[in-house]
Amino acid sequence: MTISYNWLSEYLPEKIEPEKLSKILTSIGLEVESLEKYEALKGGLLGLIIGEVLECEKHPDADKLKLTKVDIGASEPLQIVCGAPNVAAAQKVVVATIGTTIYPISGEPMTMKKAKIRGVESQGMICTEDEIGLGQGHEGIMILPATTKVGMAAAEYFQPYEDFIFEIGLTPNRMDAMSHLGVARDVCAWLSHHTKAGATVRSPFKNNFKANNQDLPMEVVIENADACQRYAGISIQGVSILESPQWLQDKLKSIGLRPINNIVDITNFILHETGQPLHAFDADKITSRKVVIKNLPEGTPFITLDEKERKLSAEDLMICDGDIPMCMGGVYGGLHSGVSAITKNIFLESAWFNPTNIRKTSLRHGLRTDAATRFEKGVDIGNTANVLKRAAMMIKEIAGGTIACELIDNYPAPKERTEVTLKYHYLKKLSGKNYHGDTIKNILNSLGFELLKEGTDEMRVTVPFSKPDVSIAADIVEEIMRIDGLDNVEIPSMITIAPSVETLSHENTYREKMAEYLSGLGFNEIFTNSITNSAYYPEAILKTTVKMINNLSAELNVMRPDMMQTGLETVAYNLNRKNNDLLFYEFGKTYSLSGVGKYIEKDHLSLYITGKKNAGGWKVKGDKADFFFLKGIVEKIMELLGLTISSYMQETSDNLQDAVKVQVKNDAVATMGAVSSGVLNRFDIKQPVFFADLDWNKLMQLNKKSKIQYTGIPKYPAVQRDLAIVVDSALQYEAVEKATYGAKVNKLRAVNLFDVFASEKLGANKKSMAVSFTFLDEEKTLTDKEIDGMMNKIITAYETELNAEIRK
C-alpha cells in the first residue's frame, strides 16, 4: 500500500515528521517497508538560480553562439556562452551554475563544469524548459517575467512538488487501512492514546451536497441483492472533460498513478482517500435511463475497456443498461459505456459488492484491478453514499456541470453492525497486561467502535463497518494492543510452562540427521521458491509441468519440475556479490502432471557446490571442489542412511555434463554431475557448479527396509596391501571394484583407488591404477601366506576380467 506523506498529513490534527510518523505506523501494525523522498522534478531544481542577462554579444569565433554576461546576485556576473536564438539583454532566465546537475526530460543527467567553447570560457548554462524538466520546449531558453527577483533559487520560484512516500506492508485483514483516511484514523488513535487526548481525523466530508435540478433522473434496480447489498448513484450534467488541476495530478503521480482526465482522476483520488471504489458512466449511453444490477446468461459476450471480448459466467454480477451489460460490477468497465473526451453527462456509481463474488469474477477473467482488490477485502458499506456526495461535489468544482438528480441510494436490507463482548479478564489473559476501563473505551472510541453496555468485568461494543474482519473478542484485543503498543506489554519475571516432547517421524529424524551432517561439513541450507520461470525449461518438460492459473508475476508462472534452476538462482545471487565459495543443500519439492488433473509431488535433497571446498590458510591452500568431492558426500549420505550403492551409471542429460546416475540395488536414487555450460550461461555463472539431486522419497522407502547392525571393534589388526595395474584408458574404476568383490575374498574389508597415472611408457591408450586392499580376520591375525593367497585371487580376476597387466 502506497501512502503519500503530504496527503496523509492533510487529515491529521498536527504535522508529524516523516521519520517519526514511520515509527508510529509500524508500531500500530502498519509496517513501513520503505520511506523515500518523491520529487516531481528529479533533483528538485537544486543549484539552479534566477539570473538577468546584462550583456549579449555575438561570439567572436562562431556565428550561432552568443557571449553573455549574467547577473545571478553574486559579486561578479557570470560569463556564459549561449547558443539559444532568443537570448537577449535584460531577460530574466534560469541559470545552471558550475557544479549543478540538471536532469533533462530526455537524456542523461549532466553536471555543469567550467569549459571553453570556441576559445571563450563559459561559467555555466542558461537553460531551456526541457533541459531542467519543466516542459518540452527546446527552441530557446526559458524567459521569465521581468519582475522575477535575481538571485532567487529556481526551486523557490517554481516550487516543484516534493513529498515522502511510505510503502506499507498491509496484512490481508487490514482493509480499513487501504486508504489515506483509514491510515489517518489509526494515527489519530495512537496520538489520542499516547500524546494528545481527543485527537481526531480532519474529515474531508462536508454537508454541502445539494441537487441543482432533476433534468437527468435515473432508476436503479438491484435484482441480485446478495451480490450487491447497496448501490448509490448521482447524475451530473454538463461536465467538461479536461486535464486535472496540478494539485490533483501531483497527488496521483506521487503514489504511482498516471493522470488521465479530471473525471477519472477524481474517482482514483476518492479511491485512495477513502478506500471506496467509484465508477463513472457516460450517462448519454444509458439509453433506457435504468441501471439494473443483475446476472446475465452463461456465455454472454462482453467487451471490456481493454478491447477484449470476454464470455461472461452466469455468476458474474453485471451493471446493465436495462438488459445491455455496461460494466463488470466492482471489477472492470465496459468499452462502450465509459467516459470519453466528448462526454458531457455522467452517471457516478458507488456501491457495496459481495467480496466472494468479486474475487471469483476477478480471478475467473484475470482482472486484478484496484477496485476488485478493495471490494474483495470488504469496503465500508456505511460510507457508500457519503463518499459519492464528496466525489460529486469535487466533479462539480473541477469539471463544472450541475447535479441533475437527487442522490439515489438503493439499500434493500440495511446491514446491522456486528456486536462483540469483551471480558476484561480475557483481555488480560491474551495481552498479559491490565488495562483500565477508561483506556479501553478511549482506544476503541478513537477507532470508531461504539459502546453499547459496560459492566464490572465486561463491555459490549458495536464494530464499525470499516472493520469487517473484527468479529470476536480476540480481534478487539488485537485492536487495543496495537494502539497501546506491543512494546508496552511487560515481560513477566517468571514463565511457567510444561515442556512437551514430540517424537520426530521416521522421515524427519533422518532429515535432521542429514542436515546436521551437511551443516557440519560447512554447507548452508537454502530455501528457494517452488514457483519458478517457465523460460528455464524446454517445451518437452513444460508438457508435464504444473502451470499457475493466476500467477502474480510473468516470471513466476510454473511449479518447478526440478530443483536445479531455483538453486542456481541462489548460487548466481551469491556469486554476483563476490561470495564465490559455496556449499548449499536444500530439502524441497518438485511438481509434475500425470494425466488429466493428476499431480505428482516429490521430495528431494539437492546439493550445490562451487568454488573451493575448504578455506585456505597460511599453511594449506584451499582446494577447489570437483565431481569427486560431490561423489564422496553422496556416498557418505548413503552410508548414514544404511544403504549400499550398487552401481554408478553414466547417462545423457541436457543440464549436466558427464551425468552419473546412482543406484541402490535396482533403484535409481540420485543423479549428479557438473552443471552444463548452457545452463550456467543462462544464469551468467562463470565458474563450475556441481549438482546432485537425491530422490528423498525413494531413499526413505529403502531406508525403512534396511537393517542397521552393530559389531564390536576388531581384536586383531587389519592388513593393507597395494597393487598397481595397467589397464585400458577407457576402463572405469567401477569395473575394478566390481571385479575385486567378484573374486569372493571373504576376508577383504575395503578396496580403495589412491592413484591414477598415464604415460606413453605404459603403451598406447593405457593407464596405471593403484589400488589398496584392507584384509581382516576377526578370529586371528592373518599370515603372509593367507594374504598372498587372497591377493593372487584378486590378481587372477583382474587379468581375466579386465585384461590387466600387473606392474612390478
Side-chain angles (χ1 to χ4, degrees):
M1 178 68 193
T2 304
I3 294 292
S4 156
Y5 169 73
N6 290 346
W7 195 347
L8 178 63
S9 297
E10 293 178 7
Y11 309 122
L12 300 179
E14 60 186 37
K15 196 140 187 172
I16 306 171
E17 291 299 314
E19 290 77 12
K20 182 180 178 182
L21 186 55
S22 176
K23 292 179 181 178
I24 293 173
L25 291 172
T26 298
S27 74
I28 58 180
L30 305 177
E31 183 183 359
V32 176
E33 296 178 340
S34 68
L35 170 60
E36 295 181 359
K37 188 173 182 179
Y38 168 81
E39 294 174 329
L41 293 177
K42 192 172 181 181
L45 303 180
L46 186 65
L48 298 174
I49 299 175
I50 306 302
E52 180 179 7
V53 181
L54 302 178
E55 301 176 10
C56 182
E57 300 175 353
K58 185 177 177 299
H59 192 290
D61 292 324
D63 293 338
K64 293 184 179 181
L65 298 179
K66 303 285 180 64
L67 189 59
T68 66
K69 295 281 187 180
V70 183
D71 177 16
I72 61 168
S75 57
E76 295 289 334
L78 301 179
Q79 177 174 276
I80 298 176
V81 177
C82 180
N86 64 332
V87 65
Q91 292 175 339
K92 298 292 178 67
V93 295
V94 180
V95 179
T97 56
I98 301 300
T100 297
T101 300
I102 61 173
Y103 298 86
I105 292 287
S106 59
E108 296 297 319
M110 180 168 55
T111 300
M112 296 297 104
K113 298 178 182 178
K114 188 180 289 187
K116 282 192 174 183
I117 302 176
R118 292 292 183 96
V120 178
E121 188 176 87
S122 182
Q123 298 171 318
M125 185 172 78
I126 303 175
C127 303
T128 62
E129 281 185 355
D130 70 328
E131 287 171 337
I132 55 176
L134 283 171
Q136 299 293 333
H138 191 73
E139 294 76 18
I141 59 168
M142 180 185 293
I143 301 173
L144 305 178
T147 56
T148 309
K149 183 181 176 182
V150 172
M152 177 190 290
E156 181 184 352
Y157 178 78
F158 291 104
Q159 295 186 343
Y161 185 79
E162 294 183 347
D163 200 350
F164 288 93
I165 302 300
F166 299 97
E167 284 296 337
I168 296 176
L170 279 184
T171 51
N173 63 318
R174 291 302 311 278
M175 62 72 49
D176 59 303
M178 293 186 74
S179 66
H180 286 76
L181 273 174
V183 173
R185 187 184 302 113
D186 269 14
V187 174
C188 287
W190 187 92
L191 291 173
S192 182
H193 178 64
H194 291 275
T195 63
K196 185 178 181 180
T200 57
V201 173
R202 295 166 61 184
S203 174
F205 299 105
K206 298 175 183 178
N207 190 23
N208 61 347
F209 176 82
K210 184 180 179 182
N212 299 106
N213 55 59
Q214 302 296 318
D215 294 346
L216 198 56
M218 290 283 179
E219 180 186 359
V220 172
V221 177
I222 301 176
E223 291 188 6
N224 187 342
D226 178 62
C228 177
Q229 296 181 18
R230 189 175 188 182
Y231 190 97
I234 290 176
S235 298
I236 305 174
Q237 198 173 37
V239 298
S240 299
I241 308 299
L242 302 168
E243 278 192 355
S244 296
Q246 193 60 46
W247 69 265
L248 180 52
Q249 292 193 45
D250 286 338
K251 275 186 165 62
L252 296 179
K253 287 178 181 177
S254 71
I255 60 172
L257 296 180
R258 179 177 62 88
I260 297 173
N261 60 52
N262 47 13
I263 303 298
V264 175
D265 292 349
I266 288 169
T267 61
N268 282 331
F269 173 86
I270 294 293
L271 170 67
H272 288 272
E273 179 186 61
T274 68
Q276 173 68 49
L278 304 176
H279 190 76
F281 298 94
D282 188 326
D284 294 330
K285 294 178 181 177
I286 307 176
T287 55
S288 69
R289 293 290 184 264
K290 183 178 181 180
V291 176
V292 183
I293 299 93
K294 63 179 181 179
N295 300 89
L296 294 174
E298 185 79 28
T300 301
F302 178 63
I303 301 175
T304 46
L305 272 173
D306 55 5
E307 301 183 2
K308 292 182 180 179
E309 182 177 287
R310 289 177 161 85
K311 300 296 183 182
L312 299 178
S313 164
E315 295 181 358
D316 295 332
L317 187 69
M318 301 300 295
I319 313 301
C320 302
D321 172 14
D323 292 322
I324 302 171
M326 297 190 295
C327 173
M328 297 171 109
V331 178
Y332 209 46
L335 180 63
H336 302 301
S337 62
V339 173
S340 66
I342 60 172
T343 296
K344 293 298 179 186
N345 305 312
I346 65 170
F347 178 73
L348 193 62
E349 160 199 287
S350 177
W352 189 95
F353 297 114
N354 189 301
T356 303
N357 291 69
I358 294 298
R359 182 162 180 80
K360 285 182 177 179
T361 294
S362 174
L363 294 178
R364 187 181 296 119
H365 296 285
L367 296 169
R368 305 296 295 154
T369 60
D370 279 349
T373 301
R374 283 162 174 80
F375 277 126
E376 69 184 25
K377 294 182 187 300
V379 298
D380 185 351
I381 195 170
N383 218 23
T384 305
N386 290 334
V387 170
L388 186 60
K389 291 176 183 178
R390 170 157 169 74
M393 297 308 292
M394 283 188 68
I395 289 173
K396 183 178 176 182
E397 177 186 345
I398 294 173
T402 57
I403 297 176
C405 76
E406 292 293 343
L407 173 72
I408 304 164
D409 188 8
N410 198 331
Y411 198 0
K415 198 172 183 180
E416 296 292 332
R417 284 192 175 196
T418 302
E419 297 182 7
V420 180
T421 298
L422 174 67
K423 295 186 181 294
Y424 297 153
H425 71 270
Y426 181 74
L427 171 60
K428 169 71 180 344
K429 178 182 177 182
L430 260 63
S431 68
K433 182 175 180 179
N434 275 317
Y435 286 94
H436 192 277
D438 290 341
T439 300
I440 299 170
K441 285 188 289 184
N442 291 336
I443 289 176
L444 294 179
N445 182 62
S446 64
L447 290 172
F449 293 83
E450 292 182 5
L451 181 64
L452 286 179
K453 186 176 70 173
E454 185 178 11
T456 56
D457 186 44
E458 67 176 28
M459 67 170 57
R460 189 165 183 81
V461 297
T462 60
V463 181
F465 289 125
S466 61
K467 294 183 176 291
D469 65 300
V470 176
S471 59
I472 57 176
D475 297 329
I476 302 290
V477 174
E478 179 189 352
E479 294 291 290
I480 294 168
M481 290 184 67
R482 68 182 185 82
I483 297 302
D484 180 51
L486 297 175
D487 292 339
N488 293 328
V489 177
E490 295 181 2
I491 299 175
S493 58
M494 182 177 67
I495 298 176
T496 304
I497 186 171
S500 62
V501 178
E502 183 179 351
T503 304
L504 292 174
S505 67
H506 175 269
E507 181 179 338
N508 285 337
T509 298
Y510 277 95
R511 181 169 175 161
E512 193 72 19
K513 188 174 184 179
M514 291 306 108
E516 289 177 356
Y517 165 67
L518 291 168
S519 297
L521 283 179
F523 277 74
N524 289 298
E525 184 171 9
I526 62 173
F527 297 91
T528 61
N529 196 347
S530 57
I531 305 173
T532 187
N533 193 341
S534 61
Y536 293 154
Y537 305 99
E539 196 60 39
I541 297 293
L542 292 177
K543 288 180 180 179
T544 57
T545 298
V546 181
K547 297 175 178 63
M548 302 293 292
I549 296 174
N550 295 298
N551 50 300
L552 297 178
S553 165
E555 289 77 29
L556 298 174
N557 57 354
V558 296
M559 302 295 286
R560 64 182 173 200
D562 67 41
M563 297 290 294
M564 179 186 291
Q565 318 294 335
T566 53
L568 288 178
E569 288 178 340
T570 304
V571 171
Y573 180 89
N574 280 269
L575 292 178
N576 289 338
R577 286 153 182 80
K578 306 300 181 184
N579 190 11
N580 296 326
D581 303 322
L582 305 173
L583 301 174
F584 289 155
Y585 72 93
E586 178 178 15
F587 287 96
K589 295 179 182 291
T590 60
Y591 310 85
S592 60
L593 285 169
S594 177
V596 179
K598 294 182 180 179
Y599 300 93
I600 299 173
E601 185 176 315
K602 288 185 177 180
D603 290 295
H604 297 256
L605 168 59
S606 296
L607 308 177
Y608 311 84
I609 299 172
T610 187
K612 295 177 180 178
K613 61 185 178 183
N614 50 21
W618 67 272
K619 193 174 182 180
V620 179
K621 290 185 178 181
D623 297 324
K624 285 190 175 182
D626 55 17
F627 171 79
F628 298 102
F629 175 65
L630 174 67
K631 177 174 175 281
I633 293 171
V634 172
E635 288 177 345
K636 186 62 179 178
I637 289 173
M638 298 301 165
E639 183 181 326
L640 291 171
L641 291 172
L643 304 176
T644 302
I645 295 174
S646 56
S647 67
Y648 295 94
M649 299 180 63
Q650 281 195 316
E651 65 175 8
T652 303
S653 170
D654 293 332
N655 294 331
L656 294 174
Q657 295 174 358
D658 301 324
V660 173
K661 181 166 65 176
V662 181
Q663 287 193 298
V664 173
K665 298 180 180 177
N666 294 321
D667 293 306
V669 295
T671 303
M672 57 186 178
V675 179
S676 68
S677 58
V679 175
L680 294 180
N681 290 338
R682 183 183 301 144
F683 293 92
D684 198 26
I685 296 175
K686 296 179 173 59
Q687 64 185 55
V689 178
F690 300 94
F691 172 74
D693 182 35
L694 287 75
D695 187 334
W696 190 249
N697 297 125
K698 182 64 68 177
L699 290 173
M700 288 298 96
Q701 291 173 12
L702 294 170
N703 171 260
K704 287 179 181 179
K705 297 176 183 178
S706 68
K707 291 183 179 180
I708 298 177
Q709 297 178 331
Y710 296 87
T711 58
I713 297 174
K715 296 180 180 179
Y716 301 97
V719 179
Q720 282 194 333
R721 288 284 180 93
D722 297 338
L723 181 67
I725 57 175
V726 177
V727 295
D728 290 339
S729 57
L731 186 76
Q732 296 182 353
Y733 172 67
E734 183 184 11
V736 176
E737 200 173 55
K738 188 175 180 180
T740 306
Y741 288 113
K744 300 187 185 309
V745 177
N746 295 332
K747 303 295 189 291
L748 179 66
R749 291 293 179 267
V751 58
N752 181 53
L753 175 70
F754 66 87
D755 186 41
V756 177
F757 172 71
S759 171
E760 294 180 359
K761 295 178 180 179
L762 298 174
N765 300 320
K766 294 289 184 180
K767 66 180 178 182
S768 170
M769 302 176 78
V771 185
S772 68
F773 308 91
T774 302
F775 301 97
L776 175 68
D777 190 328
E778 295 179 358
E779 297 179 355
K780 63 183 180 66
T781 301
L782 290 169
T783 64
D784 287 341
K785 184 177 180 181
E786 290 172 321
I787 296 169
D788 289 340
M790 290 185 285
M791 286 297 296
N792 288 333
K793 287 183 71 175
I794 293 172
I795 290 171
T796 301
Y798 285 176
E799 291 174 336
T800 304
E801 298 179 26
L802 306 179
N803 196 24
E805 177 186 341
I806 309 303
R807 293 185 69 189
K808 303 297 185 182

